Amino acid sequence: MERAPGWRVGTLSGIPIYLGRSWVLVAVLMIALFGPTVERTLPGLGAWSYAVAFAFVVLLLVSVLVHEAAHALVAQGVGFGVSRIVADFWGGHTAHDGAGGTPARSAAVAVVGPLANGVLALLGWWAMGVLDTTGVPLLLAYAFTWANSFVAVFNLVPGLPLDGGFLLESLVWGVTGNRHLGTMVAGWSGRLVVVLVAVVLLVPPLLNGDRVPWTRVAWVALIGVFLWQGASQAIRLGRQGMRASRRTLAETAHRPGVVAADALLHTVPWAEHPLWVVVDGEGRPDGLVDPPALQQVPREAWPSTPAAAVAVRLPAGWAVPLPPQTRLDAVIEVMRRSGSGVVALLDEQGRPWGVVSTHDVTGSRS
C-alpha cells in the first residue's frame, strides 16, 4: 500500500492534512536555535525559554498550514483535484493535479499562499500593539510577525520552486501560450535566485575581512540546495514538456487491462496486457499490477490471493480524465502535482483506458 506522507492530523474541505515525519526535525532545530535567543531576551525564564521556543514552533506550524490551506482551497475552487496538504521539512506542500489549468488559475493558486502569510503578519503586528511592551506574549507576537513577513516576501521571489516562480511561469505562459517555456524560464530564474542569495549573504562580510557565522553558511547551504533542486527539476520538466507537446496520449499510453480488486489471481489473463489497473467496487482506480511482479507469489497461492493484495498503491490524484487526443505534456503537470510517476487515464465514464509513466514522457520507454 502507499505509505502515508506522515501523521494525519485533520481534514479541510475533504482534503487530508498530514504532519510530515521530517517536521519533527524542524521542530528540534527551531527549538535549539530559538531557545537561546529567548533566554538572552528574557533572562529570567531559564529553562522555560525552550518551552517558549516550542510555542513558537507551534505558531510556525500554524502559519505553514494556513499557507497550504490557502493554496488547497483556491486550487479546489478553480476545479483542480486536491489530494493532500503536508507540513514537512521544507515548510509544506499541497498536492493537486492541475488538470485543466490556465495561466490565471495557476497564478491564483500560487499567490494566495504568500497573501495568507501577509494576513497573518498583519494579525501579529496588531497583536504586538495591544500586548504589554515586555514579556513572552510580545516576544512570540514579534517572532510570529517577522516569520510570516519573511515567508510572504521571500515566497514571492520569481523563481521556482517558490510561489513567485509559479507566478513567473504563469506570466510567461500567458504571454507566449507555452507553459513549458514558462516552466523553464522560472526554473532558470530559481537558479539565479540561489546565486544572488549566496552572494548577498556571504560575499559582503568576506570582502570586509569578517568571519561569516557558521549558522548563516548552514542556512544559505540548506536553502540553496532546496531551491537549486527545485529549479533544476523545473527546467527538466520544462524540457520534457516541450518534447512531449509534440505527441498525444493515444500515441504513447499503454493500454492496460482492468481487474476488480477482489478478483483472484488465477482467474485473470495477465499475459494479455503489459499493465493492469485494479479498480474498487465502484470502478475507481485503486492501484496498478505489473504482471512480472506476480512471480513473487507462489502459484499454489494464486487461487486464494486477490488482485488487491499484489497491487501497487499510488498517490491520490494519479488517475485523471484525459481523452486520447490530449497532448502528452498534460500528464507532466499531473505527475508534478500528485507526486506519482504513473498516471492512469480515464474516459468520460471514469474507466481506465491508458497508463503513462515518467519513462514514456522522457522518451526512455522500453
Side-chain angles (χ1 to χ4, degrees), residues 83-269:
S83 57
R84 62 187 177 276
I85 296 171
V86 184
D88 56 19
F89 184 82
W90 298 116
H93 68 272
T94 299
H96 62 82
D97 56 29
T102 65
R105 291 175 183 174
S106 181
V109 172
V111 76
V112 291
L115 288 180
N117 289 114
V119 171
L120 291 179
L122 290 175
L123 288 175
W125 183 265
W126 171 82
M128 289 171 59
V130 299
L131 293 171
D132 294 335
T133 56
T134 60
V136 171
L138 181 63
L139 178 61
L140 288 175
Y142 174 81
F144 180 78
T145 302
W146 185 90
N148 278 283
S149 299
F150 173 79
V151 171
V153 173
F154 187 68
N155 252 290
L156 288 174
V157 172
L160 286 172
L162 300 172
D163 291 326
F166 288 105
L167 291 174
L168 177 59
E169 177 190 62
S170 298
L171 176 62
V172 176
W173 179 12
V175 171
T176 67
N178 189 326
R179 180 171 199 166
H180 310 299
L181 177 60
T183 302
M184 285 194 291
V185 169
W188 281 106
S189 181
R191 284 183 170 180
L192 179 61
V193 168
V194 175
V195 175
L196 291 177
V197 168
V199 169
V200 170
L201 295 181
L202 300 180
V203 172
L206 293 175
L207 294 177
N208 293 331
D210 300 329
R211 290 188 60 183
V212 181
W214 71 267
T215 51
R216 182 183 300 185
V217 175
W219 280 114
V220 170
L222 190 65
I223 295 174
V225 168
F226 165 64
L227 294 179
W228 191 273
Q229 288 179 341
S232 298
Q233 181 185 28
I235 294 169
R236 183 168 59 253
L237 288 172
R239 288 171 176 166
Q240 291 173 0
M242 296 288 279
R243 292 193 297 268
S245 64
R246 294 187 283 270
R247 290 183 285 163
T248 65
L249 295 178
E251 298 169 331
T252 312
H254 302 273
R255 294 321 193 261
V258 178
V259 58
D262 59 356
L264 299 177
L265 298 187
H266 75 291
T267 65
V268 182

Side-chain angles (χ1 to χ4, degrees), residues 7-56:
W7 299 285
R8 184 163 175 166
V9 295
T11 303
L12 175 67
S13 188
I15 306 165
I17 303 172
Y18 294 93
L19 182 63
R21 296 171 182 85
S22 60
W23 182 261
V24 176
L25 177 58
V26 175
V28 172
L29 286 174
M30 292 303 298
I31 291 172
L33 292 172
F34 192 57
T37 301
V38 176
E39 194 168 9
R40 288 192 301 269
T41 306
L42 301 172
L45 289 177
W48 285 101
S49 298
Y50 291 88
V52 175
F54 175 76
F56 171 66

